Amino acid sequence: MKDLLVRRCLAWAGEHGMRADEAMLAAALDARHRSRDGRLACWDARQVRRFLLEWIPRHLAAERDVLATAPESLLTLLRYLAASGLRDPRGASPAELEAAVAEAEAEYPAALADPTRQGIGKFWAQTALDNGIVLDDERAVARFQRDVDAGRVRFDDDLLDKLLEAEFAGTGPDDERAFPQSPVALPPAAELAAEAARSEVVRQLTALTGWVGTDGRPLTKTGNPRLADARELAALLDTGERDLRVRSSAEMPRVSLLLAWAKKAGLVRVRTGRLVPVAKAGPVLRDPETLWRRAFEAVFELGAAICAPTFEGSGSSMLATAFDELLPDVLNAMYGLPAPIPVARLQETVWLACQEYFLLDPDEDGFRQDVWRRQVERDLLTVFDTLSSLGVVEASHGVPDELYSSDLRPGVLGEFGELTEDDLPLPPEARARLLPRLAEPGPLVRLTPLGTRAVRERLLADGRDAPLLGELADAEAGELLGVLAQHYTRETAAAELDGWLAAHEGDVEPLLDAVRACPFRTRASAMLSTLVEALPDGRETRARLRRDPALGPVVLTALLETGELRPEDLTADEHSLLLAEGLILLLELGGPEAVVEQLRESAGRGAPELVAEVLDSGHPARAALEELRVLVYEPMLARNARLRLMPSPAPGSRGRPSGRGRKRRH
């Protein structure tokens, strides 16, 4: 697909008087492929800056004049994606992207010149180039490596040490592909705002800040409220701790948590031994939804307060220590699930993560591991209780859906066949503990709409793909179908398409026109298939399009695949169109080499004539036919001309004597 996009983009650029470097176009697509979401056609300002100011300085070693073409090449690629209907509408608009490229271009020379931005691979590749090594020459590169090992190559030791330190510290951009999320639905914004205002924690944080007052409250030498003040606050916040027999307010876990929460949310702070309000927090306190968001983001820094030790001196739990890393994983695991998830399932996965995080010895004493595991399980229950009070999760009790146990037994039929032991997500001992718990009632949790929105916003901030039903209602028809075909399930695609049609007076024709205009046959086929599956009368609509001048080949292919047509039902012209469609699809998916190999196997010496028939078939994809002519047909003719075998002349011809009329020896 990358080669096809680069090839088409270069051709388009030539037709429109734009410039682009082939290597830079390929690099831009590589950068998007090797990213959190991997969406080649989804670009925003962050992705523009990542490519120009991070990816190229870190990964690409090339001559300066080649690197200098990057901003212009990227701009050409972005314009081509928009012009060809490939742009993902969830990215920035074309105008926003133009501005982003211009802004990043101003910083680009300095980024290229900064040696600390390069990765280890780039460092050595650039060092080789500086020493006159051609990177495509394997022998020269091997010789260079030997010279480095022998100390015959000079390089910057200090810079290499800094780069190695940064590499091990993980300070570079996170290019690891993340698991794609299913589309979710959310209530209207007004309902979410009202739900935020009803949050118990929002009420408590507002009351706590009011209780602090403009003059503040005194703190003890240990930084805690005086016990009398803490009892007063417990009554105000209804934490149930007013009458606890304690020696210090630090022994009132809920009050301590809310105080820590208010500090992390930027509502109060400590100044000269007093707890005082933050002056800039006034607008936040008057807006419950903004306060809710602030409180949610603060949760990830509250591990020690939420997972407080069971008794004094027992130390922090594993979950508290790794809280900021494990809690996002827990919430991401809950995101978009169709049924409440059993807490027991999450407890096992969190315990497994803790074992990896702390590198526990598998031969560690079993009793100690059991104590640690039970502490993690208790702490996770406390976490869900806290999140429930904020309104992030909804807790319930019951028998878990079998969805959460169906992947824990080998031999069960999964999405890709029977599950083997290696396919199962948990080790045997964890499954042995978990399966009985999943067969009986237990605590269940699911994200609330508020929680779903908040987690989705974090996913998007992390560069991940998190579709939202309804977000494509204003998208162009071609961009809509492209996204649905690539990223949505059949059910969610139908729901999104219903919303789009409702916003466009139910008119299907623009969608069909978008398929007709699509320059890529693989994409056009997927778009039409998505449309057919999503429309109630989709199959009837497709059948009527059999003789559509633009859609005919795609429709014929689909009708044959579904058995609605048989090969003997096709006319001679339809056979030619199908032959052309097949070769074009193969050219898009496998490149010219795959087409030539297929033709050699199927047509032998008649391959040029077969391609000539395809070129004369009247297939509507003119750009694809031109590629077939230039990349396959003309080279095939040239090759045949060079290797043509001359026919043997008949006996007696001028080319070869027959033996008759031979001179006799006297």
Side-chain angles (χ1 to χ4, degrees):
M1 179 58 74
K2 179 179 73 174
D3 293 342
L4 176 64
L5 279 173
V6 169
R7 189 168 68 236
R8 294 277 180 91
C9 183
L10 287 172
W12 180 85
E15 294 169 359
H16 292 80
M18 298 179 189
R19 293 189 297 178
D21 179 84
E22 181 177 355
M24 282 300 128
L25 293 177
L29 294 172
D30 283 339
R32 284 303 285 121
H33 176 70
R34 292 175 56 186
S35 65
R36 297 290 282 161
D37 63 325
R39 291 177 288 172
L40 301 185
C42 188
W43 288 81
D44 56 19
R46 179 174 57 181
Q47 291 298 337
V48 167
R49 295 183 66 82
R50 173 179 175 270
F51 174 58
L52 293 177
L53 306 182
E54 295 179 14
W55 181 268
I56 292 179
R58 182 175 179 82
H59 295 291
L60 295 190
E63 301 298 334
R64 176 67 62 170
D65 58 339
V66 175
L67 294 175
T69 67
E72 185 175 24
S73 296
L74 176 60
L75 195 58
T76 297
L77 173 64
L78 297 175
R79 289 170 174 170
Y80 170 70
L81 293 175
S84 59
L86 296 178
R87 185 184 75 92
D88 191 320
R90 296 170 295 176
S93 69
E96 291 169 336
L97 291 174
E98 299 257 350
V101 172
E103 181 180 329
E105 186 175 12
E107 304 174 43
Y108 183 58
L112 279 183
D114 184 355
T116 63
R117 297 197 183 205
Q118 61 187 324
I120 303 300
K122 164 76 173 286
F123 173 86
W124 286 116
Q126 192 62 55
T127 302
L129 285 174
D130 294 342
N131 282 271
I133 302 298
V134 178
L135 298 179
D136 292 335
D137 187 337
E138 294 183 4
R139 290 185 178 181
V141 171
R143 187 171 60 252
F144 169 74
Q145 291 173 339
R146 290 193 298 270
D147 290 341
V148 170
D149 294 338
R152 292 188 291 268
V153 176
R154 299 181 62 183
F155 56 86
D156 190 333
D157 285 309
D158 292 337
L159 174 60
L160 181 58
D161 288 342
K162 291 179 181 178
L163 296 179
L164 286 170
E165 183 179 347
E167 188 86 13
F168 288 128
T171 57
D174 187 358
D175 299 328
E176 184 180 355
R177 181 69 63 83
F179 186 78
Q181 298 290 344
S182 299
V184 298
L186 287 175
E191 290 185 23
L192 292 172
E195 194 64 32
R198 288 191 290 268
S199 164
E200 178 187 359
V201 170
V202 165
R203 179 193 66 79
Q204 290 174 321
L205 291 177
T206 303
L208 186 154
T209 309
W211 173 83
V212 169
T214 56
D215 296 331
R217 294 278 180 162
L219 300 174
T220 65
K221 292 181 180 180
T222 57
N224 297 310
R226 295 179 303 189
L227 185 55
D229 286 344
R231 293 191 187 281
E232 178 185 335
L233 184 58
L236 175 67
L237 304 183
D238 195 22
T239 66
E241 299 168 313
R242 178 179 180 178
D243 299 323
L244 282 180
R245 292 185 177 182
V246 295
R247 293 170 296 176
S248 165
S249 62
E251 298 176 34
M252 303 168 70
R254 190 66 186 176
V255 167
S256 298
L257 170 59
L258 288 167
L259 284 167
W261 211 331
K263 293 174 186 176
K264 292 295 186 182
L267 305 178
V268 298
R269 61 189 180 92
V270 176
R271 187 181 67 189
T272 61
R274 296 182 70 83
L275 187 68
V276 298
V278 175
K280 294 182 179 179
V284 176
L285 291 165
R286 292 190 291 271
D287 183 348
E289 189 172 17
T290 301
L291 177 55
W292 191 96
R293 292 177 187 270
R294 185 83 69 91
F296 175 76
E297 288 302 321
V299 167
F300 300 92
E301 302 178 58
L302 293 173
I306 296 175
C307 306
T310 306
F311 52 88
E312 188 176 355
S314 63
S316 297
S317 75
M318 291 182 176
L319 183 54
T321 304
F323 193 80
D324 59 335
E325 293 191 27
L326 296 182
L327 180 58
D329 290 342
V330 169
L331 295 177
N332 292 349
M334 298 171 62
Y335 183 83
L337 292 177
I341 185 170
V343 172
R345 179 75 188 246
L346 293 170
Q347 287 171 328
E348 288 293 346
T349 57
V350 169
W351 168 237
L352 184 63
C354 284
Q355 294 178 73
E356 296 176 356
Y357 186 89
F358 290 95
L359 301 176
L360 295 185
D361 186 347
D363 298 326
E364 181 71 56
D365 177 71
F367 175 76
R368 294 180 64 187
Q369 285 216 20
D370 190 57
V371 170
W372 292 336
R373 178 176 57 81
R374 291 183 183 280
Q375 185 180 30
V376 167
E377 291 182 351
R378 287 194 300 270
D379 283 344
L380 191 59
L381 285 170
T382 304
V383 169
F384 286 130
D385 181 63
T386 303
L387 293 174
S388 177
S389 65
L390 178 60
V392 176
V393 303
E394 174 187 344
S396 59
H397 195 275
V399 178
D401 191 289
E402 64 179 18
L403 166 71
Y404 301 110
S405 57
S406 61
D407 62 341
L408 298 179
R409 298 182 180 88
V412 174
L413 187 63
E415 184 179 356
F416 303 105
E418 284 192 3
L419 299 176
T420 67
E421 190 73 25
D422 293 337
D423 298 324
L424 305 182
L426 295 173
E429 63 274 12
R431 300 199 305 271
R433 284 192 302 265
L434 183 56
L435 282 169
R437 299 176 68 186
L438 297 181
E440 57 188 24
L444 309 171
V445 287
R446 73 185 312 165
L447 290 176
T448 65
L450 267 178
T452 299
R453 183 182 67 175
V455 175
R456 178 175 181 269
E457 289 172 351
R458 287 181 64 88
L459 291 171
L460 294 175
D462 189 37
R464 298 181 61 172
D465 182 14
L468 175 66
L469 291 177
E471 67 178 333
L472 300 176
D474 296 325
E476 297 292 332
E479 296 173 351
L480 166 80
L481 286 178
V483 171
L484 297 186
Q486 191 169 3
H487 300 289
Y488 281 56
T489 64
R490 180 173 181 173
E491 293 75 16
T492 55
E496 188 67 51
L497 187 62
D498 283 345
W500 190 92
L501 288 171
H504 293 78
E505 301 179 351
D507 189 2
V508 178
E509 197 59 34
L511 299 167
L512 295 173
D513 285 341
V515 182
R516 294 183 180 102
C518 180
F520 297 89
R521 304 309 292 176
T522 48
R523 182 178 172 90
S525 177
M527 290 165 63
L528 183 62
S529 176
T530 298
L531 183 60
V532 166
E533 292 178 354
L535 292 174
D537 60 344
R539 291 184 177 274
E540 292 79 3
T541 299
R542 182 174 59 189
R544 291 196 299 269
L545 296 170
R546 174 177 175 178
R547 290 179 176 79
D548 185 280
L551 297 177
V554 178
V555 171
L556 289 171
T557 302
L559 292 176
L560 284 172
E561 289 177 350
T562 60
E564 296 170 71
L565 271 183
R566 297 171 300 174
E568 55 267 28
D569 297 330
L570 303 177
T571 66
D573 288 343
E574 288 176 336
H575 273 292
S576 295
L577 287 174
L578 278 175
L579 177 60
E581 183 76 7
L583 288 184
I584 290 171
L585 287 171
L586 185 57
L587 180 61
E588 289 187 0
L589 294 173
E593 296 81 6
V595 176
V596 171
E597 182 179 352
Q598 176 67 30
L599 288 170
R600 284 175 179 168
E601 293 179 0
S602 61
R605 292 185 178 182
E609 290 77 12
L610 188 64
V611 180
E613 178 186 345
V614 166
L615 296 176
D616 196 38
S617 65
H619 193 285
R622 307 310 303 171
L625 288 181
E626 179 63 13
E627 281 188 335
L628 194 64
R629 182 182 66 79
V630 172
L631 299 176
V632 176
Y633 183 62
E634 291 180 352
M636 190 179 291
L637 289 181
R639 200 158 41 243
N640 286 354
R642 289 196 303 270
L643 301 178
R644 184 175 301 160
L645 295 176
M646 301 303 295
S648 300
S653 71
R654 296 190 180 190
R656 186 174 183 176
S658 66
R660 293 191 297 269
R662 228 185 271 177
K663 292 183 180 181
R664 297 189 179 187
R665 184 178 298 175
H666 293 282

